[in-house]
Amino acid sequence: MKTITETLNLAPQGKNFLTADWPAPANVKTLITTRNGGVSQGVYQSLNLGSHVGDDPDAVRRNREIVQEQVGLPVAYLNQIHSTIVVNAADALGNTPDADASVDNSGKAACAAMTADCLPVLFCDKAGTVVAAAHAGWRGLAGGVLQNTIAAMNVAPVEIMAYLGPAIGADAFEVGQDVFDAFCAPMPEAADAFEDIGGGKYLADIYALARLVLRREGVDMIYGGTHCTVLERDTFFSYRRDGQTGRMVSLIWLEQA
């Protein structure tokens, strides 16, 4: 069996991390992990950042160190519960609060959204004074996590840009009538984001739903939304595809001068 160090040395460098492709200010930094570049083994191979999925705690700890080395600032990990709770990232350091979004204007912490099919949404304002990250599974998205995150940023929505990170694609996200109703009852126009496949089942486009929510809140600068975590097997973890699996993290922070 390979040691953790030997496994790490085998990981190809330069292809393990993504960044948001958007016209954010120069002091706004992003990092989106893939499943590659870490030390975890088996179903968690290799850059699993989730400490709650059954992976070796030492491997997760090392994986988080690898990410930390890329970021510089301490990462504000959350205990995500599919809620609409937003916290201050700097206050979350070291205590892992129950929340699904964080915001920062201090430049002292990186906001983080952990996913493996759910939608991570990164936010910043055009002036580069505040950033945020939200974990938007369908429950949180329907419940208002993006709306609460925008409100917590405390800037005009017209000044905010959003990046939709890697999530389950429209061809893979099969849902039931409950999900359709959760979105379409308050927003009838959301029906356009669902394809009826019969038997009370639909294919849902979580990217389209997020864009709809963001635009209703006054955020028109929306980027990303091009990946499918289920279909891109070699790049992303997917809970829907594999069940027992790892987690990626999408990060955003303010670089201090």
Side-chain angles (χ1 to χ4, degrees):
M1 178 178 293
K2 298 181 180 68
T3 66
I4 283 179
T5 301
E6 288 169 338
T7 303
L8 177 60
N9 288 341
L10 290 173
Q13 299 301 309
K15 299 180 180 179
N16 304 326
F17 303 103
L18 307 173
T19 56
D21 183 13
W22 61 345
N27 68 313
V28 173
K29 304 300 181 182
T30 63
L31 187 79
I32 300 168
T33 69
T34 67
R35 68 177 302 157
N36 303 311
V39 302
S40 292
Q41 300 291 308
V43 296
Y44 308 108
Q45 191 174 1
S46 64
L47 190 62
N48 166 46
L49 285 310
S51 61
H52 62 293
V53 296
D55 193 7
D56 177 357
D58 288 337
V60 176
R61 190 175 304 112
R62 177 56 187 142
N63 288 339
R64 290 190 177 192
E65 289 173 352
I66 292 168
V67 172
Q68 187 69 67
E69 291 162 4
Q70 297 288 323
V71 176
L73 290 179
V75 175
Y77 290 102
L78 307 175
N79 181 36
Q80 298 172 178
I81 54 174
H82 294 276
S83 70
T84 61
I85 300 170
V86 185
V87 297
N88 185 294
D91 293 341
L93 293 174
N95 57 19
T96 318
D98 290 347
D100 285 84
S102 64
V103 62
D104 183 69
N105 61 9
S106 70
K108 296 179 179 179
C111 301
M114 191 174 294
T115 59
D117 285 336
C118 291
L119 174 64
V121 184
L122 304 179
F123 297 89
C124 72
D125 69 324
K126 289 194 294 187
T129 66
V130 60
V131 293
H135 161 251
W138 76 262
R139 290 180 181 84
L141 185 57
V145 69
L146 299 189
Q147 294 94 317
N148 288 358
T149 304
I150 291 166
M153 293 177 70
N154 200 30
V155 294
V158 70
E159 297 296 316
I160 293 174
M161 60 183 70
Y163 184 84
L164 310 182
I168 188 170
D171 292 333
F173 193 21
E174 183 178 317
V175 301
Q177 191 67 43
D178 57 333
V179 178
F180 180 91
D181 293 342
F183 286 98
C184 297
M187 297 188 302
E189 62 270 36
D192 291 340
F194 293 87
E195 178 185 347
D196 190 341
I197 56 176
K201 298 292 184 180
Y202 301 84
L203 290 176
D205 187 340
I206 199 167
Y207 291 127
L209 291 167
R211 291 186 184 102
L212 176 61
V213 170
L214 291 167
R215 290 189 176 112
R216 282 170 61 99
E217 291 300 300
V219 176
D220 291 318
M221 294 181 288
I222 307 169
Y223 307 89
T226 60
H227 291 286
C228 178
T229 49
V230 176
L231 298 181
E232 295 176 63
R233 180 181 297 272
D234 293 337
T235 306
F236 301 114
F237 294 116
S238 168
Y239 181 81
R240 177 68 66 106
R241 183 188 64 226
D242 298 326
Q244 189 176 13
T245 191
R247 298 293 187 272
M248 291 90 63
V249 69
S250 296
L251 301 154
I252 188 166
W253 65 97
L254 293 170
E255 184 177 65
Q256 294 179 319

